[in-house]
Amino acid sequence: MEEKCISNSRRCYKQWFGFMVLIMSFCVSYVDAVWPMPQMISSSMARYTLNPREFLFQYSSGSSAQSGCSVLDSAFKRYFPLIFTDYTRPRQHDEWFRFPFTVVVHVERAECEDYPDADSSESYKLSVRSGQAALRAETVWGALRGLESFSQLVYQDDFGEYFVNETEIEDFPRFQFRGILLDTSRHYLPLHAILKTLDAMSYNKFNVFHWHIVDDPSFPYQSSTFPDLSRKGAFHPSTHVYTQIDVKRVIAHARLRGIRVLAEFDSPGHTQSWGKGQPGLLTPCYKGTVPSGTFGPVNPANFSSYQFMTRLFKEVTSVFPDSYIHLGGDEVDFTCWKSNPDVRGFMLKMGFGTDYTKLESYYMENMVNITKGLNKTAIVWQDVFDYHEKLCCSSLSVVEVWKGGCYLCEVRRVTKAGLRVVLASPWYLDQPGPTHDWARYYTIWPLAFKGTEQQKKLVIGGEVCMWGEYVDATNLSPRLWPRASAAAERLWSDERMTSSVIDAYPRLVDFRCRLLRRGIQAEPLFVGHCRHEYQGI
C-alpha cells in the first residue's frame, strides 16, 4: 500500500485516508507511548499524581554518581521543564515537602566527566511506583536513556494535572551505533540548528552525531593549524565558519546528552573547497599536454599530500575526542588523475597499470594508517571496500553502506570479510517527500540477509543521512522529524515487538506532538491535531 500511495492522485489519497482511519480507530494509551519502544515495558492503570512543587531527582545512597556529576546534574535540570511543560513558577528549593515524588537514580559506574564511546552501555531499568521512580543503570549514559523514558511516561489530563502510571521497564539498544548525519558544507547550518538537532536526537535516543563538516562547496571548519582552509574555503570567512569554540560547544552539548560526535573529513574526492586554502593539495587536470586550470581530487602521487593530511588529522583528532573518525572515500572521479602526467607516472612506478581503483586504495590505506597512528578507528564509505575487497581489508575495520540497490547484499559481503557495518542506504531523508512515507523507513530490517550469526553481530547499527543540497536551517527539522524517529525505533527496539506500522502509528503521532511541545518543528503524519499546537518556538 505504501508504494501505491506515493502519487498525489485523488484515488491514492482516498486509499491512504481509509488506511489512516483504520489506524486511528486504535486507541493509544499514555502508558505505552514511549518512543522508541523499550525492550520490555509493562504498566497498569494505577496512576499517581505528580506535583511539580513536590517532585525531586536524587541519587541513591549507593550510587557511584553523586551530586556534582556533570552529566546527571545537568540532565535533572533539563528534564524538569520537559516533564512539567506548563509549569512556569520558579522551583522553591528551600521549601520542605512531606511527600514529594522522587526519581531515585542509581549508577553502577561513574563516568561523569567522560565522553560516551563505542562500547558505552546504555541499558537501564525503571520502576515507577507510588511516590517514587527507581532508575538503575550501569552508566550515566544508560541513566540518560532512562530519564528520557520516564519523561515520556508523564502525561496531563484535560485539567492540566500531571500523572504517571505504575510502570516497569527493562531496556537497552538493539544496535550500538544509531546516528544522524548533518551536512554543513552544502548549506551552512548555524550553531543553534545543530544544537536543536542534538536535543531532538536525545529525545529519540540517537547516540551518534555524524558531522559531515566539509565538502566541495565550502570548508567551514576553522582549523588552527591551517587557517586559510576556512578563510578561503568557507562561504564567508567569519559568518559561515565553525570556530574552535563552536566545535567545543557542540561536543559539550552532545556529551551531556550521551551523544558521540563523529567528525568526517572526506577525501580524496569532495575536496574542491580544500584546494582554495592549500595550494598544491589537489591534482591539476590536463587537457592534452597542458594544464586546463581546473583541479581534481587530492593528489595521491605527492608525498606532501600525506604530510598535510597528517598535520590536519593530528589537529582534528585532538579536537574531536571520539575514538572513531570518518575518512570518507566515496565518489572519486578518476578523470583528472587519468589526465595528469605525474599521476600516470606514479601509477607506472607503483605497478598499478591503468587501474585507478588501486590508486585510491593506496591513498585510503595511507589515510587509515595515519589515523591509526593517532589511535583512531576509521570509518569509510563502501566505495573503498567495493574497489578492492581483498586489498582494503588489511587496514579497514568499519564500512558505511550507503548505495541503493541490494544494500543487504553489500552488508553480507562486508560482514563476510570480517568488517563491521553501519547501514545508511535506506535512511536518506534529504529529499522531500510526504510525511506518511515514514513507514518505509520503519519497515527496514538491517539483519535480513543470509549470513552467520557472527556476521550479523558485525552490523553495529545505522544512521539517517541529511545531505545539504536542498536543506538548511529553514527546513532541517521538519524534513528530519518525525521520519527519522521511525529509524530511531528500528535501531533501538526489538523488531519482533515493533514490526507493525498500524501499531506504531498512534504512538508516533503522540510522540510527534511531544516533540512539538519541546520546540522541535516536526511535520504532521496525517490529518489531526495536537492538544498543544506548535507555537513557533
Side-chain angles (χ1 to χ4, degrees), residues 247-284:
V247 171
K248 288 179 180 177
R249 185 176 173 191
V250 169
I251 293 170
H253 196 87
R255 185 186 79 88
L256 292 176
R257 288 153 183 78
I259 298 172
R260 301 160 52 196
V261 179
L262 170 64
E264 180 182 358
F265 286 78
D266 190 2
S267 70
H270 293 284
T271 49
Q272 289 298 299
S273 65
W274 301 41
K276 297 175 182 178
Q278 186 62 26
L281 177 65
L282 303 185
T283 305

Side-chain angles (χ1 to χ4, degrees), residues 1-7 16 407 425-429 431-445 483 486-487 490 501:
M1 177 173 287
E2 179 64 24
E3 292 297 328
K4 294 178 182 177
C5 291
I6 299 303
S7 73
W16 178 254
Y407 56 82
S425 301
W427 291 308
Y428 270 47
L429 303 190
Q431 296 295 320
T435 313
H436 67 249
D437 68 1
W438 68 271
R440 69 173 56 185
Y441 306 114
Y442 191 75
T443 52
I444 300 298
W445 318 113
R483 294 191 299 168
R490 183 56 51 235
V501 171

Side-chain angles (χ1 to χ4, degrees), residues 6-45:
I6 299 303
S7 73
N8 291 321
S9 69
R10 177 72 64 178
R11 180 182 177 186
C12 167
Y13 177 82
K14 288 180 178 178
Q15 288 175 339
W16 178 254
F17 182 79
F19 183 49
M20 286 297 103
V21 169
L22 174 65
I23 290 177
M24 292 164 72
S25 68
F26 290 83
C27 178
V28 57
S29 64
Y30 290 111
V31 292
D32 291 333
V34 175
W35 193 281
M37 175 72 81
Q39 300 291 335
M40 188 286 289
I41 179 171
S42 63
S43 50
S44 76
M45 296 310 293

